[in-house]
Amino acid sequence: MRNGFPPTTAPAGRRTAGTTLLVLDADPPPRLGRLTGRARIVHTDEEGLPRLLPTADVLLVWDFTSHAVRRAWPGEGPRPRWVHTASAGVDHVLCPELAASDTVVTNARGVFDRPVAEYVAALVLAMAKDLPRTWDLQRERRWRHRETQRVAGTRAVVVGSGPIGRAVVATLKALGITTALVGRVPKTGIHGPADLDRLMARADWVVSAAPLTESTRGMFDARRFGTMQPSARFVNVGRGALVDEDALAEALAKRWIAGAALDVFRDEPLGPESPLWGLPGLIVSPHMSGDVVGWRDELGAQFVELYERWAAGRQLRNVVDKKRGYVPGH
Amino acid sequence: MRNGFPPTTAPAGRRTAGTTLLVLDADPPPRLGRLTGRARIVHTDEEGLPRLLPTADVLLVWDFTSHAVRRAWPGEGPRPRWVHTASAGVDHVLCPELAASDTVVTNARGVFDRPVAEYVAALVLAMAKDLPRTWDLQRERRWRHRETQRVAGTRAVVVGSGPIGRAVVATLKALGITTALVGRVPKTGIHGPADLDRLMARADWVVSAAPLTESTRGMFDARRFGTMQPSARFVNVGRGALVDEDALAEALAKRWIAGAALDVFRDEPLGPESPLWGLPGLIVSPHMSGDVVGWRDELGAQFVELYERWAAGRQLRNVVDKKRGYVPGH
């Protein structure tokens, strides 16, 4: 054990072609061809997972929409030594048994940072420039001049001080927006949770880019939306369950806030019956903020690189602190 | 005469309450109250303009959508010594007779730069992140994940090297976009027109922020759209007549280019019968790119400041080179 973490290298004798790499996927990941002859690669769907999980040395959770690992994780007996999820969030794999085990969990830290930051900038600018209304008016063939908002000089608070939150801050700053970053623990340049209410009350933009943990679940609730300015807007690119969706709907309906954009939801995919689709002032997008052209390829290449480190007996990167529920530190 | 320009200060004896300030407006401009007792302020609409124009010392073209000045400008006899238009473009006032006269023309240089740059960034990001399609899908309550484009590392060419074009370049650069600026005359950091075709052929984004002059009218034509990459997109925030709208429609229909956004049009307001409203891949907005909350107030304050300079016998700023059709230099 190092720094309180379980060993993050392959155990001796497992770094060979005899290693079983189990891949939970719907479509096969790119780039795994590079591991030909260096691992026995077995693909499975959710149904086959419980049976195959005890046979695997390594589990690649490629289908990051699946919660099957939580359900299938073996409490006792053989289990993978390493689980990698091709996502920034790890809440969909981190069941208590996995968290308590000495299995290493890694994530796709780094792949999504800049794309998500650009997506947040796109949403902020779209709302400031009233683009959704522009689309409605174009559809109705109506010429209606409106005044828009200048984003330079406005204030944003970004919740979540990981690489994504920091990239969001950098991009909003580049647009002249004054930013504050909030993390779990205050440190230089990062506010602690105690400052959040005060910062939200002054913000024009509140951006959620936090991991989903027991302390962040439902953190954006009626009380917090109530602290926001009526002119302010809320953006969630973190995890759906960070937000009390009913409270957000009420905050929009009652004009506590001026608008919101959600890219993530408590239940995904959002069904056609969800009232969120039709909520005035809400922009709904289907969990795609970080998914730029080439993202699957990057995720595949990232896993292959991690696998090669692991097989070579070197320290893994992107190792999740399973108690906190994310990759700590800078 | 200084630098080839007509005198840009008030003639002696005209700097008093006896000065007649004629205001062409629909709604009265803010801030003119500060000139109470320092000018006789007369408001007119388009109809009254021909009769009142010869009586005015100063003309404030507040209604910048009007082309009435072109039509009403007196060829002979008394006429205003100074014309100010509350807009960046001056093509709607600069008739040949005004251009040939010794009347000074000034514009609203400086007020729109940053807002227009933000608007261009909003359009670029909205297109890269496929937001128009996101709105359509939201309306249809359909969850359809798509891959989006990363803007960092893409290439933009910005046509028009005035303050607006330069602000657009600065904002796009801040988003990690590689930019090239094209002006009338090549100089350090600015390409000349001879480079335009080559730059357009490599660009992901072509942004038009040029003034409308005889040499820029219709410059974005079928041939130029034909040089663009099929994945590239075109944005016009300059003047409508810079673009051959039929050629753009054809370029979009034939997929010569991937998309476009027009904020300005040959004929404004765009009538409901215009085919542009319904063109797939085209975003239509009603000439509002620079019009942030407070813009009218800024325009009013800017004119009052210029008026005070003029009345004090000091050099005016924002003096238009009437031959070129814009305010030259940095």
Coordinates of all heavy atoms in Angstrom, one line a residue, chain B residues 181-263:
Chain B
L181 N -6.2 37.6 -40.0 CA -7.0 38.8 -40.2 C -6.7 39.4 -41.6 O -5.6 39.5 -42.0 CB -6.6 39.8 -39.1 CG -7.4 41.1 -39.0 CD1 -8.9 40.9 -38.8 CD2 -6.9 42.0 -37.9
V182 N -7.8 39.7 -42.3 CA -7.6 40.3 -43.7 C -8.1 41.7 -43.7 O -9.3 41.9 -43.3 CB -8.3 39.4 -44.7 CG1 -8.2 40.0 -46.1 CG2 -7.8 38.0 -44.7
G183 N -7.3 42.6 -44.2 CA -7.8 44.0 -44.4 C -7.5 44.5 -45.8 O -7.1 43.7 -46.7
R184 N -7.8 45.8 -46.0 CA -7.7 46.3 -47.4 C -6.2 46.4 -47.8 O -5.9 46.2 -49.0 CB -8.3 47.7 -47.4 CG -8.6 48.3 -48.7 CD -9.2 49.7 -48.6 NE -8.2 50.6 -48.0 CZ -7.4 51.4 -48.7 NH1 -7.4 51.4 -50.0 NH2 -6.5 52.2 -48.1
V185 N -5.4 46.7 -46.8 CA -3.9 46.8 -47.1 C -3.1 45.9 -46.2 O -3.4 45.9 -45.0 CB -3.5 48.3 -46.9 CG1 -2.0 48.5 -47.2 CG2 -4.3 49.2 -47.8
P186 N -2.2 45.1 -46.8 CA -1.4 44.3 -45.9 C -0.5 45.1 -45.0 O 0.1 46.1 -45.5 CB -0.7 43.4 -46.9 CG -0.7 44.1 -48.2 CD -1.9 45.0 -48.2
K187 N -0.5 44.7 -43.7 CA 0.6 45.3 -42.9 C 0.9 44.3 -41.8 O 0.3 43.2 -41.8 CB 0.1 46.7 -42.3 CG -1.2 46.7 -41.6 CD -1.6 48.1 -41.1 CE -2.6 48.7 -42.0 NZ -3.2 49.9 -41.4
T188 N 1.7 44.6 -40.8 CA 2.1 43.6 -39.8 C 0.9 43.0 -39.1 O 0.1 43.8 -38.6 CB 3.0 44.3 -38.8 OG1 4.0 45.0 -39.5 CG2 3.6 43.2 -37.9
G189 N 0.8 41.7 -39.2 CA -0.4 41.1 -38.6 C -1.6 41.1 -39.3 O -2.6 40.5 -38.9
I190 N -1.6 41.7 -40.5 CA -2.9 41.8 -41.3 C -2.6 41.4 -42.8 O -1.6 42.0 -43.4 CB -3.5 43.3 -41.3 CG1 -3.8 43.7 -39.9 CG2 -4.7 43.4 -42.2 CD1 -4.3 45.1 -39.7
H191 N -3.3 40.5 -43.2 CA -3.1 40.0 -44.6 C -3.9 41.0 -45.6 O -4.9 41.6 -45.2 CB -3.7 38.6 -44.8 CG -3.0 37.6 -44.1 ND1 -2.0 36.8 -44.6 CD2 -3.1 37.1 -42.8 CE1 -1.5 36.0 -43.8 NE2 -2.2 36.1 -42.6
G192 N -3.4 41.1 -46.8 CA -4.1 41.9 -47.8 C -5.1 41.0 -48.5 O -5.1 39.8 -48.4
P193 N -5.9 41.6 -49.4 CA -7.0 40.9 -50.1 C -6.4 39.8 -51.0 O -7.1 38.8 -51.2 CB -7.6 42.0 -51.0 CG -7.3 43.3 -50.3 CD -6.0 43.1 -49.6
A194 N -5.1 39.9 -51.4 CA -4.5 38.9 -52.3 C -4.4 37.6 -51.6 O -4.4 36.5 -52.2 CB -3.2 39.4 -52.7
D195 N -4.4 37.6 -50.2 CA -4.2 36.3 -49.5 C -5.6 35.6 -49.2 O -5.6 34.5 -48.7 CB -3.5 36.6 -48.1 CG -2.1 37.0 -48.3 OD1 -1.5 36.7 -49.4 OD2 -1.5 37.5 -47.3
L196 N -6.7 36.4 -49.5 CA -8.0 35.9 -49.0 C -8.4 34.5 -49.5 O -8.8 33.7 -48.7 CB -9.1 36.9 -49.3 CG -10.5 36.6 -48.8 CD1 -10.5 36.3 -47.3 CD2 -11.5 37.7 -49.2
D197 N -8.2 34.3 -50.8 CA -8.7 33.0 -51.3 C -7.9 31.8 -50.7 O -8.5 30.8 -50.3 CB -8.5 33.0 -52.8 CG -9.5 33.9 -53.5 OD1 -10.4 34.4 -52.8 OD2 -9.4 34.0 -54.8
R198 N -6.6 32.0 -50.6 CA -5.8 31.0 -50.0 C -6.2 30.7 -48.5 O -6.3 29.6 -48.1 CB -4.3 31.4 -50.1 CG -3.3 30.5 -49.5 CD -1.9 31.0 -49.6 NE -1.6 32.3 -49.0 CZ -1.4 32.4 -47.7 NH1 -1.4 31.4 -46.9 NH2 -1.2 33.6 -47.1
L199 N -6.4 31.8 -47.8 CA -6.8 31.6 -46.4 C -8.2 31.0 -46.2 O -8.4 30.1 -45.4 CB -6.8 33.0 -45.7 CG -5.4 33.6 -45.5 CD1 -5.5 35.1 -45.1 CD2 -4.6 32.8 -44.4
M200 N -9.1 31.4 -47.1 CA -10.5 30.9 -47.0 C -10.4 29.4 -47.3 O -11.2 28.6 -46.8 CB -11.4 31.6 -48.0 CG -12.0 32.9 -47.4 SD -13.1 33.7 -48.6 CE -14.6 32.7 -48.4
A201 N -9.6 28.9 -48.2 CA -9.5 27.5 -48.6 C -9.1 26.6 -47.5 O -9.4 25.4 -47.5 CB -8.6 27.4 -49.8
R202 N -8.4 27.2 -46.5 CA -7.9 26.4 -45.4 C -8.7 26.6 -44.1 O -8.4 25.9 -43.1 CB -6.4 26.8 -45.1 CG -5.5 26.5 -46.3 CD -4.1 27.1 -45.9 NE -3.6 26.6 -44.7 CZ -2.6 27.2 -44.0 NH1 -2.1 28.3 -44.3 NH2 -2.2 26.6 -42.9
A203 N -9.6 27.5 -44.1 CA -10.3 27.9 -42.9 C -11.4 27.0 -42.5 O -12.1 26.4 -43.4 CB -10.8 29.4 -43.0
D204 N -11.6 26.8 -41.2 CA -12.8 26.2 -40.7 C -14.0 27.2 -40.5 O -15.1 26.8 -40.5 CB -12.5 25.5 -39.4 CG -11.4 24.5 -39.5 OD1 -11.6 23.5 -40.2 OD2 -10.3 24.7 -39.0
W205 N -13.6 28.5 -40.3 CA -14.5 29.5 -40.0 C -14.1 30.7 -40.9 O -13.0 31.2 -40.8 CB -14.5 29.9 -38.5 CG -14.6 28.8 -37.6 CD1 -13.5 28.2 -37.0 CD2 -15.8 28.0 -37.2 NE1 -14.0 27.1 -36.2 CE2 -15.3 27.0 -36.4 CE3 -17.1 28.2 -37.6 CZ2 -16.2 26.1 -35.8 CZ3 -18.0 27.3 -37.0 CH2 -17.6 26.3 -36.1
V206 N -15.1 31.3 -41.6 CA -14.8 32.6 -42.3 C -15.8 33.6 -41.7 O -17.0 33.4 -41.8 CB -15.1 32.4 -43.8 CG1 -14.9 33.7 -44.5 CG2 -14.1 31.4 -44.4
V207 N -15.2 34.6 -41.2 CA -16.0 35.6 -40.5 C -15.9 37.0 -41.2 O -14.8 37.5 -41.4 CB -15.6 35.9 -39.0 CG1 -16.5 36.9 -38.3 CG2 -15.7 34.5 -38.2
S208 N -17.1 37.5 -41.7 CA -17.1 38.8 -42.4 C -17.4 39.9 -41.4 O -18.5 39.9 -40.8 CB -18.2 38.7 -43.5 OG -18.6 40.0 -43.8
A209 N -16.5 40.8 -41.2 CA -16.7 42.0 -40.3 C -16.2 43.2 -41.0 O -15.7 44.1 -40.4 CB -16.0 41.8 -39.0
A210 N -16.4 43.2 -42.4 CA -15.8 44.3 -43.2 C -16.8 45.4 -43.3 O -18.0 45.2 -43.2 CB -15.4 43.8 -44.5
P211 N -16.4 46.7 -43.6 CA -17.3 47.7 -44.0 C -17.8 47.5 -45.4 O -17.2 46.8 -46.2 CB -16.4 49.0 -43.9 CG -15.1 48.5 -44.2 CD -15.0 47.1 -43.7
L212 N -19.0 48.1 -45.7 CA -19.5 48.0 -47.1 C -19.0 49.1 -47.9 O -19.3 50.3 -47.6 CB -21.0 48.0 -47.1 CG -21.7 47.9 -48.4 CD1 -21.3 46.6 -49.1 CD2 -23.2 48.0 -48.3
T213 N -18.1 48.8 -48.9 CA -17.6 49.9 -49.8 C -17.8 49.3 -51.2 O -18.2 48.2 -51.4 CB -16.1 50.1 -49.5 OG1 -15.4 49.0 -49.8 CG2 -15.9 50.4 -48.0
E214 N -17.4 50.1 -52.2 CA -17.5 49.6 -53.5 C -16.6 48.4 -53.8 O -16.9 47.6 -54.6 CB -17.3 50.8 -54.5 CG -18.5 51.7 -54.7 CD -19.8 50.9 -54.7 OE1 -20.0 50.0 -55.5 OE2 -20.7 51.2 -53.8
S215 N -15.5 48.3 -53.0 CA -14.6 47.2 -53.3 C -15.0 46.0 -52.4 O -14.4 44.9 -52.7 CB -13.2 47.6 -53.0 OG -13.0 48.0 -51.7
T216 N -15.9 46.1 -51.5 CA -16.3 44.9 -50.7 C -17.6 44.4 -51.0 O -18.0 43.3 -50.7 CB -16.2 45.2 -49.2 OG1 -17.2 46.2 -48.9 CG2 -14.9 45.7 -48.7
R217 N -18.4 45.2 -51.7 CA -19.8 44.8 -52.1 C -19.8 43.5 -52.8 O -19.1 43.3 -53.8 CB -20.5 45.9 -52.9 CG -21.9 45.6 -53.2 CD -22.5 46.8 -54.0 NE -22.6 48.0 -53.3 CZ -23.5 48.4 -52.4 NH1 -24.5 47.6 -52.2 NH2 -23.4 49.5 -51.8
G218 N -20.5 42.5 -52.3 CA -20.7 41.2 -53.0 C -19.4 40.4 -53.0 O -19.2 39.5 -53.8
M219 N -18.4 40.7 -52.1 CA -17.2 40.0 -52.2 C -17.3 38.5 -51.8 O -16.5 37.7 -52.3 CB -16.1 40.6 -51.2 CG -16.4 40.5 -49.8 SD -15.2 41.3 -48.7 CE -13.7 40.3 -49.0
F220 N -18.3 38.2 -51.0 CA -18.5 36.7 -50.7 C -19.5 36.2 -51.8 O -20.7 36.3 -51.6 CB -19.0 36.6 -49.3 CG -17.9 37.0 -48.3 CD1 -18.0 38.2 -47.7 CD2 -16.8 36.2 -48.1 CE1 -17.0 38.6 -46.8 CE2 -15.8 36.6 -47.2 CZ -15.9 37.8 -46.6
D221 N -19.0 35.7 -52.9 CA -19.8 35.3 -54.0 C -19.6 33.8 -54.2 O -18.9 33.1 -53.4 CB -19.4 36.1 -55.2 CG -18.0 36.0 -55.6 OD1 -17.2 35.1 -55.0 OD2 -17.5 36.8 -56.4
A222 N -20.2 33.3 -55.3 CA -20.2 31.8 -55.5 C -18.7 31.3 -55.6 O -18.4 30.3 -55.1 CB -20.9 31.5 -56.8
R223 N -17.9 32.1 -56.3 CA -16.5 31.6 -56.5 C -15.9 31.5 -55.1 O -15.2 30.5 -54.8 CB -15.7 32.6 -57.3 CG -14.4 32.1 -57.8 CD -13.5 33.1 -58.4 NE -13.2 34.3 -57.5 CZ -12.3 34.2 -56.5 NH1 -11.7 33.1 -56.3 NH2 -12.1 35.2 -55.8
R224 N -16.0 32.5 -54.2 CA -15.4 32.4 -52.9 C -16.0 31.3 -52.1 O -15.2 30.6 -51.4 CB -15.5 33.8 -52.2 CG -14.5 34.8 -52.8 CD -13.8 35.5 -51.7 NE -12.5 36.2 -52.2 CZ -12.5 37.4 -52.7 NH1 -13.6 38.1 -52.8 NH2 -11.4 37.9 -53.1
F225 N -17.3 31.1 -52.1 CA -17.9 30.0 -51.3 C -17.3 28.7 -51.8 O -17.1 27.7 -51.1 CB -19.4 30.1 -51.3 CG -20.0 31.2 -50.5 CD1 -20.9 32.1 -51.1 CD2 -19.6 31.4 -49.2 CE1 -21.4 33.2 -50.4 CE2 -20.1 32.5 -48.4 CZ -21.0 33.4 -49.0
G226 N -17.1 28.7 -53.1 CA -16.6 27.5 -53.7 C -15.1 27.1 -53.3 O -14.7 26.0 -53.4
T227 N -14.4 28.1 -52.8 CA -13.0 27.8 -52.4 C -13.0 27.2 -50.9 O -12.0 26.7 -50.5 CB -12.2 29.1 -52.3 OG1 -12.7 30.0 -51.3 CG2 -12.1 29.8 -53.7
M228 N -14.2 27.4 -50.2 CA -14.2 26.9 -48.8 C -14.2 25.4 -48.7 O -14.7 24.7 -49.6 CB -15.3 27.6 -48.1 CG -15.2 29.0 -47.8 SD -16.7 29.8 -47.1 CE -16.8 29.1 -45.5
Q229 N -13.8 24.9 -47.6 CA -13.9 23.4 -47.3 C -15.3 23.1 -47.0 O -16.1 23.8 -46.5 CB -13.0 23.1 -46.1 CG -11.6 23.5 -46.1 CD -10.8 23.0 -44.9 OE1 -10.3 21.9 -45.0 NE2 -10.8 23.8 -43.8
P230 N -15.7 21.8 -47.4 CA -17.1 21.4 -47.2 C -17.4 21.4 -45.7 O -18.6 21.5 -45.3 CB -17.1 20.0 -47.7 CG -15.9 19.9 -48.6 CD -14.9 20.8 -48.1
S231 N -16.4 21.3 -44.8 CA -16.7 21.3 -43.4 C -16.7 22.7 -42.8 O -17.0 22.9 -41.6 CB -15.6 20.5 -42.7 OG -14.3 21.1 -43.0
A232 N -16.4 23.7 -43.6 CA -16.3 25.1 -43.1 C -17.6 25.8 -43.0 O -18.6 25.4 -43.6 CB -15.3 25.9 -44.0
R233 N -17.6 26.9 -42.1 CA -18.8 27.6 -41.9 C -18.5 29.1 -42.1 O -17.4 29.6 -41.8 CB -19.4 27.3 -40.6 CG -19.9 25.9 -40.4 CD -20.5 25.7 -39.1 NE -21.0 24.3 -38.9 CZ -20.4 23.4 -38.3 NH1 -19.2 23.6 -37.8 NH2 -20.9 22.2 -38.1
F234 N -19.6 29.9 -42.5 CA -19.4 31.3 -42.8 C -20.3 32.1 -41.8 O -21.5 31.7 -41.6 CB -19.9 31.5 -44.2 CG -19.9 32.9 -44.7 CD1 -18.7 33.6 -45.0 CD2 -21.1 33.6 -44.7 CE1 -18.7 34.9 -45.4 CE2 -21.1 35.0 -45.1 CZ -19.9 35.6 -45.4
V235 N -19.8 33.2 -41.3 CA -20.5 34.1 -40.4 C -20.4 35.5 -41.0 O -19.3 36.0 -41.2 CB -19.9 34.0 -39.0 CG1 -20.6 35.0 -38.1 CG2 -20.0 32.6 -38.4
N236 N -21.5 36.2 -41.1 CA -21.5 37.6 -41.5 C -22.1 38.5 -40.4 O -23.3 38.4 -40.1 CB -22.3 37.8 -42.8 CG -22.1 39.2 -43.4 OD1 -21.2 40.0 -42.9 ND2 -22.9 39.6 -44.3
V237 N -21.2 39.4 -39.8 CA -21.7 40.4 -38.9 C -21.4 41.8 -39.4 O -21.4 42.7 -38.7 CB -21.1 40.2 -37.5 CG1 -21.7 38.9 -36.8 CG2 -19.6 40.1 -37.5
G238 N -20.9 41.8 -40.7 CA -20.5 43.1 -41.3 C -21.8 43.8 -41.8 O -22.5 44.4 -41.1
R239 N -21.9 43.7 -43.1 CA -23.1 44.3 -43.8 C -23.6 43.3 -44.7 O -22.9 42.5 -45.3 CB -22.6 45.5 -44.6 CG -22.4 46.8 -43.8 CD -23.7 47.3 -43.2 NE -23.7 48.6 -42.7 CZ -24.3 49.1 -41.6 NH1 -25.1 48.3 -41.0 NH2 -24.3 50.3 -41.3
G240 N -24.9 43.3 -44.9 CA -25.6 42.3 -45.7 C -25.1 42.2 -47.1 O -24.9 41.1 -47.7
A241 N -24.9 43.4 -47.7 CA -24.5 43.4 -49.1 C -23.1 43.0 -49.4 O -22.6 42.9 -50.6 CB -24.7 44.8 -49.7
L242 N -22.3 42.6 -48.4 CA -21.0 42.0 -48.6 C -21.2 40.6 -49.2 O -20.3 40.1 -49.9 CB -20.3 41.8 -47.3 CG -19.9 43.1 -46.5 CD1 -19.4 42.8 -45.1 CD2 -18.8 43.9 -47.3
V243 N -22.4 40.0 -49.0 CA -22.6 38.6 -49.4 C -23.6 38.6 -50.5 O -24.6 39.3 -50.6 CB -23.2 37.9 -48.2 CG1 -23.6 36.5 -48.6 CG2 -22.2 37.9 -47.0
D244 N -23.3 37.7 -51.5 CA -24.3 37.4 -52.6 C -25.1 36.3 -51.9 O -24.8 35.1 -51.8 CB -23.5 36.8 -53.8 CG -24.5 36.4 -54.9 OD1 -25.6 36.1 -54.6 OD2 -24.0 36.3 -56.0
E245 N -26.3 36.7 -51.5 CA -27.2 35.8 -50.7 C -27.6 34.6 -51.5 O -27.8 33.5 -51.0 CB -28.4 36.6 -50.1 CG -27.9 37.6 -49.0 CD -29.1 38.5 -48.6 OE1 -30.2 38.5 -49.2 OE2 -28.9 39.2 -47.6
D246 N -27.9 34.8 -52.8 CA -28.3 33.7 -53.6 C -27.1 32.6 -53.7 O -27.4 31.4 -53.7 CB -28.7 34.1 -55.0 CG -29.9 35.0 -55.0 OD1 -30.7 34.9 -54.0 OD2 -30.1 35.8 -55.9
A247 N -25.9 33.2 -53.8 CA -24.8 32.3 -53.9 C -24.6 31.5 -52.6 O -24.3 30.3 -52.6 CB -23.5 33.1 -54.3
L248 N -24.8 32.2 -51.5 CA -24.7 31.5 -50.2 C -25.8 30.4 -50.1 O -25.5 29.3 -49.6 CB -24.8 32.5 -49.0 CG -24.8 31.9 -47.6 CD1 -23.5 31.2 -47.4 CD2 -25.1 32.9 -46.6
A249 N -27.0 30.7 -50.5 CA -28.1 29.7 -50.5 C -27.7 28.5 -51.3 O -27.9 27.4 -50.8 CB -29.4 30.3 -51.0
E250 N -27.1 28.8 -52.4 CA -26.7 27.6 -53.3 C -25.6 26.8 -52.7 O -25.6 25.6 -52.7 CB -26.3 28.2 -54.7 CG -26.3 27.1 -55.7 CD -25.7 27.6 -57.1 OE1 -25.6 28.9 -57.2 OE2 -25.5 26.8 -57.9
A251 N -24.6 27.6 -52.1 CA -23.5 26.9 -51.4 C -23.9 26.0 -50.3 O -23.4 24.9 -50.1 CB -22.5 27.9 -50.9
L252 N -25.0 26.4 -49.6 CA -25.5 25.6 -48.5 C -26.3 24.4 -49.0 O -26.2 23.3 -48.6 CB -26.4 26.4 -47.6 CG -25.7 27.4 -46.6 CD1 -26.6 28.4 -46.0 CD2 -24.9 26.7 -45.5
A253 N -27.1 24.7 -50.0 CA -28.0 23.6 -50.6 C -27.1 22.5 -51.3 O -27.4 21.4 -51.2 CB -28.9 24.2 -51.6
K254 N -26.0 23.0 -51.9 CA -25.2 22.0 -52.6 C -24.1 21.4 -51.6 O -23.2 20.7 -52.1 CB -24.5 22.6 -53.8 CG -25.5 23.0 -54.9 CD -24.8 23.4 -56.1 CE -25.8 23.6 -57.3 NZ -25.2 24.3 -58.4
R255 N -24.1 21.8 -50.4 CA -23.2 21.3 -49.4 C -21.7 21.7 -49.7 O -20.8 21.0 -49.4 CB -23.2 19.8 -49.2 CG -24.6 19.3 -48.9 CD -25.0 19.6 -47.5 NE -26.4 19.3 -47.2 CZ -26.8 18.1 -46.7 NH1 -25.9 17.2 -46.3 NH2 -28.1 17.9 -46.5
W256 N -21.5 22.8 -50.4 CA -20.2 23.3 -50.6 C -19.6 23.7 -49.2 O -18.4 23.6 -49.0 CB -20.2 24.6 -51.5 CG -20.5 24.4 -52.9 CD1 -20.8 23.1 -53.5 CD2 -20.7 25.3 -53.9 NE1 -21.1 23.3 -54.8 CE2 -21.0 24.7 -55.1 CE3 -20.5 26.7 -53.9 CZ2 -21.2 25.3 -56.3 CZ3 -20.7 27.4 -55.1 CH2 -21.1 26.7 -56.3
I257 N -20.5 24.2 -48.3 CA -20.0 24.5 -47.0 C -21.0 23.9 -46.0 O -22.1 23.5 -46.4 CB -19.9 26.0 -46.7 CG1 -21.3 26.7 -46.9 CG2 -18.9 26.7 -47.7 CD1 -21.2 28.2 -46.5
A258 N -20.6 23.8 -44.7 CA -21.3 23.0 -43.8 C -22.4 23.8 -43.1 O -23.4 23.3 -42.5 CB -20.4 22.4 -42.7
G259 N -22.3 25.2 -43.1 CA -23.2 26.0 -42.4 C -22.9 27.4 -42.5 O -21.8 27.8 -42.9
A260 N -23.8 28.3 -42.0 CA -23.6 29.7 -42.1 C -24.5 30.4 -41.0 O -25.5 29.8 -40.6 CB -23.9 30.3 -43.5
A261 N -24.1 31.6 -40.7 CA -24.9 32.4 -39.8 C -24.9 33.8 -40.3 O -23.8 34.4 -40.5 CB -24.4 32.4 -38.3
L262 N -26.0 34.4 -40.5 CA -26.1 35.8 -41.0 C -26.8 36.6 -40.0 O -27.9 36.3 -39.5 CB -26.9 35.9 -42.3 CG -26.4 35.1 -43.5 CD1 -27.3 35.3 -44.7 CD2 -24.9 35.5 -43.8
D263 N -26.2 37.7 -39.5 CA -26.9 38.7 -38.6 C -27.3 39.9 -39.4 O -28.0 40.8 -38.9 CB -25.9 39.1 -37.5 CG -26.6 39.9 -36.5 OD1 -27.6 39.5 -35.9 OD2 -26.1 41.0 -36.2

